[in-house]
Amino acid sequence: TGVVTIGALLGMAAHLEGKGAGVIDMSGLAQKGGAVAVHLRISDDPKQIKAIRASAAGADVVLGCDLVVTASDKILGVIREGVTTVLANSHEMMTGDFTRQPDLDLPVEQMRLALEARAGAGAAHFVDASRAAAALTGDSIAANMFLLGHAYQLGQVPVSSQAIIAAIELNKVAVQRNIDAFQWGRLAAHDPEAVAAAIEASDRPEAEERISTSLEEVITRRVEFLTAYQNRSWAERYSRRVETIRALEAERAPGETALADAVARGLFKLMAYKDEYEVARLFTEGSFARQIAKQFAGGYRIAFHLAPPILGGTDPATGRPAKRRFGQWMLPVFRVLARAKWLRGTKFDPFGYNAERRMERQLIADYEADLDVIAALLTPRNHARAVELARLPEAIRGFGPVKKASVTAARTRRTTLLDDLKSAGGSRKRAA
């Protein structure tokens, strides 16, 4: 994230002012998920710098560009209550562990509390520098410069702003963007409300990026999506199922909505499986082009890495379907394929006989059968089990062999949950 660059810029800024600076990079193989820390000492007299690395409880300032690293034992160890000021980027940046644990949840609140407890009251400051930099400069990579500007305005950086800007200019990399980020960070410390308003004005998410805030919105958006995915009939099939469960839950478990929410999300995920038609539609219906245009200024080329089932082939290194590189000429092909979505699931569907497509259609049928079981047996006693059963599609991820493995695991769990549901629902059957 440019942590080393920040250290180098501050070292150069100190040099330009005739001060002494010592910088040491503690690089933990960041590309492999390791932490990177920079220890920096600045002094009016270079002779006073005898050691660079911060000793235990020996830091005056901690500039935390990554919250996970900032709250690690090594960094917590240099913080001293009543002495150290902490300024950390509160943005949630997933570590490499996310690739192996797709349900990984960062304990953000616990990390914040750990830093606040170590630094003491009022000494720990948190700002979403990544979101601010992306909204205000167009690139989240400027987050660290934003954070540096914030720290400078708080009086925690012992070099002048003129020297920092001169160091940025000498570096000759994204000069204006970095200066802008530094100045925005200063303003955020001085007038946070003004900067928050500027971020809100610049960072309006596209409709497809917005998070639903109610169950009603969850359902409505998915009905619209499924209509575009297939047709109105397909969407109405989804809507009827969800509304049936929603009404049933209100009757048998008053005040609860977790089951309806789980069904709204789970059934949608199964019914909107990403086959060849859907991949083609998503690349050509407009949102992909908007995302590309939002992130890149132009002059780019697009390449698609695909593993078409009709070409076959296996990657000898992974044992998975081999991907091939296709150029931008695939976009017109995608447009034609997207218009052929009416073939999906019919006997004329050339992709429908693929084992993965058959499995996806069977998953929908199995899930609807499970909803029938839930409808017959639901009671307050087995409500939690019903919710867990309805959420099983969330565990089904990926494509090809990855999806097959997750389906196998989900089906094993499904058998157990169905048994538990029927066992807990027995009392209702007897009462009826």
Side-chain angles (χ1 to χ4, degrees):
T1 58
V3 174
V4 172
T5 300
I6 295 296
L9 288 173
L10 286 174
M12 176 55 71
H15 172 72
L16 292 173
E17 291 193 330
K19 296 177 179 178
V23 185
I24 184 171
D25 304 329
M26 311 294 290
S27 180
L29 294 176
Q31 288 182 326
K32 299 298 183 184
V36 176
V38 174
H39 293 246
L40 172 68
R41 287 185 186 270
I42 297 175
S43 174
D44 289 335
D45 182 2
K47 294 180 182 178
Q48 294 298 315
I49 300 178
K50 297 179 173 61
I52 300 174
R53 184 171 180 176
S55 58
D60 295 301
V61 182
V62 169
L63 198 62
C65 301
D66 181 310
L67 190 59
V68 174
V69 178
T70 310
S72 65
D73 290 339
K74 286 185 178 180
I75 306 302
L76 287 173
V78 305
I79 299 173
R80 182 177 179 183
E81 185 177 355
V83 174
T84 309
T85 298
V86 176
L87 181 62
N89 184 357
S90 61
H91 188 76
E92 294 184 35
M93 289 181 279
M94 283 296 177
T95 65
D97 291 334
F98 181 70
T99 61
R100 297 180 294 276
Q101 302 175 51
D103 293 317
L104 181 68
D105 186 23
L106 290 180
V108 173
E109 191 58 32
Q110 291 92 318
M111 290 188 285
R112 290 177 61 129
L113 290 173
L115 288 165
E116 289 172 343
R118 185 61 65 94
H125 308 268
F126 302 92
V127 57
D128 192 340
S130 296
R131 184 190 176 207
L136 300 172
T137 72
D139 197 332
S140 63
I141 199 67
N144 294 351
M145 287 304 305
F146 181 92
L147 206 62
L148 177 61
H150 204 290
Y152 175 85
Q153 196 64 27
L154 292 177
Q156 299 299 320
V157 180
V159 291
S160 68
S161 61
Q162 293 87 346
I164 293 173
I165 291 173
I168 293 171
E169 292 171 340
L170 285 171
N171 193 43
K172 297 181 179 180
V173 176
V175 173
Q176 193 57 53
R177 185 189 67 196
N178 283 321
I179 292 175
D180 289 346
F182 177 71
Q183 300 290 30
W184 274 114
R186 293 184 63 188
L187 183 60
H190 173 71
D191 190 350
E193 290 79 13
V195 173
I199 292 171
E200 286 299 323
S202 302
D203 190 29
R204 297 187 185 279
E206 299 287 346
E208 62 269 12
E209 297 173 336
R210 187 171 47 80
I211 302 298
S212 298
T213 57
S214 67
L215 176 58
E216 196 66 47
E217 189 177 10
V218 166
I219 297 170
T220 300
R221 291 178 69 183
R222 281 157 178 76
V223 167
E224 293 172 355
F225 190 100
L226 288 170
T227 302
Y229 173 87
Q230 183 71 11
N231 52 37
R232 174 56 61 182
S233 175
W234 191 246
E236 287 175 350
R237 174 177 169 181
Y238 164 84
S239 181
R240 284 195 300 270
R241 279 287 186 178
V242 174
E243 291 303 332
T244 297
I245 292 295
R246 192 178 183 182
L248 197 70
E249 184 178 34
E251 175 191 337
R252 299 185 190 170
E256 297 286 353
T257 60
L259 178 59
D261 184 81
V263 173
R265 298 175 189 275
L267 182 57
F268 167 79
K269 184 170 184 179
L270 296 180
M271 292 182 70
Y273 60 88
K274 288 186 176 65
D275 58 7
E276 291 76 8
Y277 306 109
E278 177 63 356
V279 170
R281 187 186 74 86
L282 292 175
F283 273 129
T284 56
E285 53 82 42
S287 62
F288 174 70
R290 288 194 297 272
Q291 290 171 31
I292 292 290
K294 187 177 180 180
Q295 189 161 0
F296 300 98
Y300 52 79
R301 289 180 298 173
I302 298 173
F304 300 95
H305 296 262
L306 309 169
I310 56 176
L311 296 182
T314 302
D315 186 329
T318 64
R320 295 178 177 178
K323 289 188 177 182
R324 293 172 171 81
R325 187 178 187 276
F326 299 85
Q328 194 160 327
W329 59 268
M330 280 298 296
L331 284 172
V333 177
F334 285 154
R335 291 188 185 96
V336 173
L337 188 57
R339 286 196 290 269
K341 64 181 182 180
W342 62 272
L343 292 171
R344 178 187 286 124
T346 71
K347 62 181 180 180
F348 303 107
D349 183 358
F351 306 106
Y353 299 96
N354 176 283
E356 186 170 343
R357 300 293 164 259
R358 294 198 303 270
M359 175 186 72
E360 287 161 339
R361 291 195 297 272
Q362 186 60 49
L363 286 172
I364 298 171
D366 291 345
Y367 191 79
E368 290 186 311
D370 292 345
L371 295 183
D372 290 338
V373 173
I374 290 173
L377 301 178
L378 182 65
T379 67
R381 181 182 173 188
N382 63 17
H383 179 267
R385 274 287 184 265
V387 172
E388 190 175 351
L389 178 63
R391 283 181 177 159
L392 270 184
E394 294 179 18
I396 299 174
R397 301 180 174 94
F399 300 89
V402 175
K403 186 168 193 174
K404 184 177 180 181
S406 67
V407 167
T408 299
R411 281 174 169 165
T412 300
R413 182 61 181 156
R414 173 186 178 234
T415 300
T416 301
L417 289 172
L418 281 170
D419 289 342
D420 291 348
L421 187 73
K422 292 171 183 177
S423 175
S427 58
R428 183 180 184 278
K429 292 178 69 176
R430 286 192 294 272

